[in-house]
């Protein structure tokens, strides 16, 4: 209260249940994790003024983001690996698959960014979508490389035989079938372990809280 100093008016929290919250309170995409009531008295040249504050901590509903963001992105990355099992000579199919998955993932990333408030730091979801785009682009680049190497064949008595570069292109395809899933699995382990660490920080007030939203009033 800026109209009366503490000599005339003092605000005080109730000792028991200072903040009443309805039991059926529900917000889209968020749940109320906890709240903390405190005092924020302000001293100025004209005196001290009474002030009350409450910090509300909201936790994101993970199931919503899992079904609408993480699962579709995983599916797009896995679909991009299908090109490694296609015939290296099936250039139109491999190129179409790579371009389609890359454009779809880019559209998905733009849609995610538009649905979230802009911030000045890198969010966990930005890391996820960025790595997914990197995997899809890398798979497309591998397909282009395999196609370029597979074009070089040697003609003998009217017949075309694969050269060393052609064999190399097949080896790259076979290796990519193992390397890409392994790397993506490793990234998932690191990502979700880090997310669980943030989730623990949200619940225990330890370290950086990137999975929570605090409202000060």
């Amino acid at each position: 209260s800026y109209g009366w100093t503490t000599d005339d008016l003092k605000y005080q929290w109730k000792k028991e249940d200072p903040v009443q919250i309805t039991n059926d309170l529900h917000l889209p995409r968020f749940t109320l994790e906890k709240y903390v009531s405190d005092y924020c008295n302000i001293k100025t040249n004209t005196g001290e003024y009474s002030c009350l504050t409450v910090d509300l901590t909201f936790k994101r509903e993970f199931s919503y983001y899992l079904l609408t963001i993480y699962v579709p992105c995983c599916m797009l990355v896995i679909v991009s690996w299908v090109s490694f099992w296609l015939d290296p000579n099936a250039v139109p199919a491999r190129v179409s698959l790579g371009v389609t998955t890359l454009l779809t993932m880019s559209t998905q990333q733009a849609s995610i960014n538009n649905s979230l408030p802009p911030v000045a730091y890198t969010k966990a979801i930005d890391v996820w979508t960025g790595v997914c785009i990197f995997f899809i682009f890398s798979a497309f680049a591998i397909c282009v490389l395999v196609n370029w190497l597979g074009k070089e064949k040697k003609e003998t008595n009217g017949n075309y035989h694969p050269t060393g570069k052609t064999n190399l292109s097949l080896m790259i395809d076979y290796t990519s079938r193992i390397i890409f899933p392994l790397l993506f699995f490793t990234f998932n382990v690191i990502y979700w372990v880090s997310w669980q660490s943030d989730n623990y920080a949200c619940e225990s007030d330890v370290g950086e809280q990137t999975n929570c939203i605090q409202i000060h009033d």
Side-chain angles (χ1 to χ4, degrees), residues 103-214:
L103 292 178
T104 305
M105 187 63 221
S106 300
T107 304
Q108 177 81 350
Q109 184 187 38
S111 176
I112 294 171
N113 291 333
N114 291 334
S115 64
L116 297 176
V119 294
Y121 53 86
T122 301
K123 305 183 294 294
I125 195 65
D126 296 331
V127 176
W128 174 265
T129 55
V131 172
C132 287
I133 289 180
F134 173 77
F135 271 96
I136 294 176
F137 177 79
S138 299
F140 179 66
I142 291 295
C143 292
V144 174
L145 177 62
V146 168
N147 176 56
W148 177 72
L149 294 176
K151 282 185 176 181
E152 297 196 12
K153 297 181 179 180
K154 183 178 181 181
E155 182 178 3
T156 304
N157 298 328
N159 297 322
Y160 288 90
H161 302 282
T163 62
K165 288 188 176 181
T166 304
N167 294 331
L168 178 60
S169 67
L170 296 176
M171 184 182 300
I172 292 175
D173 255 350
Y174 294 147
T175 305
S176 299
R177 297 176 187 178
I178 301 175
I179 295 298
F180 272 73
L182 183 61
L183 290 178
F184 192 66
F185 175 78
T186 303
F187 163 71
N188 271 270
V189 171
I190 297 174
Y191 182 87
W192 293 114
V193 168
S194 301
W195 183 86
Q196 286 294 336
S197 299
D198 284 343
N199 190 34
Y200 171 76
C202 175
E203 296 176 353
S204 58
D205 292 334
V206 177
E208 183 180 2
Q209 301 181 5
T210 60
N211 194 42
C212 304
I213 294 180
Q214 288 190 328

